[in-house]
Amino acid sequence: MIGGLVNADHHINALALFDSMLKAGIEVKNATVMSVLRACAETEALSVEKKVHMIVKEKRIDSKANVCTTLVDMYAKSGCLKSARNVFDNVMDKDVFVWTAMISALASHGMF
């Protein structure tokens, strides 16, 4: 449901549903986090972004390349290049997607 809301550009509703999910004690999965991070990137809700990043760390899914790629993209869209770089630097097995996300983040902020 959260992914559907994000795909339909209902980012605020997706974040509200995620908050309800957390309050209900429903376990957070990788796919849900990816959708929520996309919603965060589009709304530039930095406080929510930090909260989701903490959940990612707690659930130990911050080592997954696809999650890290989305985190890099999210922080870059919010103008937090330092946070994007920190995530990137901590990825052990960098794939082409995380490299591309970091290069795009730097380029979009004039750091060619």
Side-chain angles (χ1 to χ4, degrees):
M1 185 65 166
I2 291 172
L5 288 168
V6 172
N7 288 339
D9 293 330
H10 295 287
H11 308 293
I12 300 297
N13 292 338
L15 294 175
L17 186 58
F18 179 67
D19 190 52
S20 297
M21 181 181 150
L22 292 177
K23 289 177 182 172
I26 298 170
E27 186 176 349
V28 176
K29 301 285 186 183
N30 190 13
T32 305
V33 167
M34 299 274 298
S35 293
V36 170
L37 292 173
R38 285 180 36 226
C40 288
E42 294 303 320
T43 60
E44 298 180 13
L46 192 55
S47 63
V48 178
E49 291 174 0
K50 298 283 186 187
K51 180 179 180 179
V52 175
H53 193 174
M54 291 300 292
I55 291 167
V56 165
K57 285 182 178 181
E58 288 171 8
K59 299 293 181 185
R60 294 194 168 131
I61 55 176
D62 59 334
S63 62
K64 301 206 180 282
N66 58 348
V67 173
C68 292
T69 299
T70 308
L71 280 166
V72 168
D73 182 60
M74 175 195 72
Y75 280 127
K77 286 181 178 175
S78 297
C80 299
L81 285 181
K82 184 176 179 181
S83 294
R85 184 60 190 249
N86 286 338
V87 170
F88 176 80
D89 288 342
N90 289 312
V91 177
M92 298 305 287
D93 295 316
K94 292 176 180 69
D95 62 11
V96 68
F97 301 106
V98 74
W99 277 101
T100 301
M102 192 67 234
I103 291 167
S104 296
L106 293 169
S108 69
H109 290 277
M111 302 176 88
F112 304 104

